[in-house]
Amino acid sequence: MTPRVVWTLFALLAAAPAGAQTAEPEFRVVTTSFPPYSVEVDGRVRGVAADLVQAVLDDLGVRTPIDVLPWARAYETALRGPRVLIFQIARTAEREGQFKWVGEVASYDVHLYRRADRTEIAPTALADAARWKIGGLLRDVKTLHLQDLGMSVTTYSDEANGLSMLLGGRIDLMPSDRQAMLQRLDLAGLPRDRVVPVLRLDDISGPLYMAFSPDTPDALVGRVRASLDRVRAGHKDGGPS
């Protein structure tokens, strides 16, 4: 091959349109392991919320993996950006201005749980619950809520560890979403009546969201929001589930 031909090929490659090269994903997607909303199975993230988010990505034609991280790391990753979508995050007053909110992906029904045989633990209000040792997931909305109320919380890195601590007597109470707790017991091969809810946390029960890091362009947030609306409409019309 002559030098002239080499330089001609080089020039043609340099002038190739950007679309001819492998495109980088427009944004990153992060979550945490939180059955039944998101759980990694055989290298793929599935669950009530994860399937909905994946349907949105498919609708947009976005090819990017869903990264499953410890919650504190997922939260910090989304908070700092750039262009990070996080899902199943609670929308609180403190977080309202820290993220760009897309829409709801799941419901959230939070209770304080105790071991079934610890019948002496029967708080009728959060003030009563403070008498016992309470655990909570690091940087999680449940933990932050209890700490904001002046309660001491022993933190753990994931809720499977929290369940082990509860069953082992290292903590007396553990906040958890009802469906998540049932799924966690199933995954551990434990009977569902091994723990019981004793007090509902009404202030933080409600929807969970998908949200973007604050640096994300509003146009991108709008496109993802519109896609979420389309996917939900498809579900209501008997489309993909």
Side-chain angles (χ1 to χ4, degrees):
M1 187 178 293
T2 66
R4 181 186 296 273
V5 172
V6 171
W7 280 107
T8 301
L9 290 173
F10 179 81
L12 288 171
L13 288 172
Q21 303 171 18
T22 301
E24 290 295 322
E26 288 187 78
F27 53 89
R28 183 181 179 188
V29 183
V30 299
T31 188
T32 196
S33 181
F34 187 41
Y37 303 105
S38 59
V39 61
E40 203 163 7
V41 180
D42 297 329
R44 186 179 177 189
V45 186
R46 300 301 305 271
V48 176
D51 290 349
L52 179 60
V53 172
Q54 186 60 60
V56 169
L57 297 177
D58 292 344
D59 177 73
L60 292 168
V62 172
R63 298 291 177 261
T64 187
I66 297 174
D67 293 332
V68 179
L69 307 173
W71 175 250
R73 184 177 164 199
Y75 184 86
E76 284 298 320
T77 299
L79 192 60
R80 299 179 186 279
R83 295 190 182 210
V84 178
L85 177 69
I86 186 171
F87 67 91
Q88 83 236 355
I89 180 172
R91 188 171 183 171
T92 64
E94 178 188 4
R95 293 172 176 173
E96 184 65 33
Q98 295 179 330
F99 296 92
K100 292 187 176 180
W101 301 90
V102 177
E104 299 175 13
V105 295
S107 60
Y108 204 39
D109 185 20
V110 184
H111 297 254
L112 283 177
Y113 282 82
R114 64 164 169 83
R115 234 169 50 189
D117 62 338
R118 299 284 308 275
T119 55
E120 76 279 12
I121 303 175
T124 57
L126 275 176
D128 296 333
R131 297 165 48 198
W132 288 280
K133 189 172 183 179
I134 302 175
L137 182 64
L138 184 65
R139 294 300 300 270
D140 179 65
V141 66
K142 301 184 294 297
T143 302
L144 296 174
H145 174 64
L146 295 172
Q147 290 173 333
D148 286 345
L149 294 173
M151 304 179 75
S152 176
V153 180
T154 299
T155 58
Y156 36 77
S157 59
D158 67 70
E159 293 195 327
N161 287 339
L163 179 58
S164 295
M165 293 172 68
L166 183 68
L167 296 177
R170 286 179 286 163
I171 57 175
D172 302 315
L173 291 166
M174 171 186 178
S176 177
D177 168 72
R178 182 183 288 272
Q179 291 300 320
M181 177 58 81
L182 294 176
Q183 184 78 6
R184 198 170 293 111
L185 290 164
D186 290 346
L187 290 172
L190 297 169
R192 288 189 167 191
D193 61 358
R194 186 70 179 273
V195 301
V196 294
V198 294
L199 189 67
R200 189 172 191 265
L201 303 185
D202 294 324
D203 289 346
I204 55 173
S205 292
L208 297 175
Y209 288 78
M210 66 168 76
F212 271 107
S213 52
D215 69 303
T216 308
D218 290 339
L220 176 56
V221 178
R223 284 203 298 120
V224 176
R225 187 178 293 128
S227 175
L228 177 61
D229 290 342
R230 284 195 300 272
V231 169
R232 279 192 180 134
H235 285 202
K236 290 176 183 176
D237 294 339
S241 60

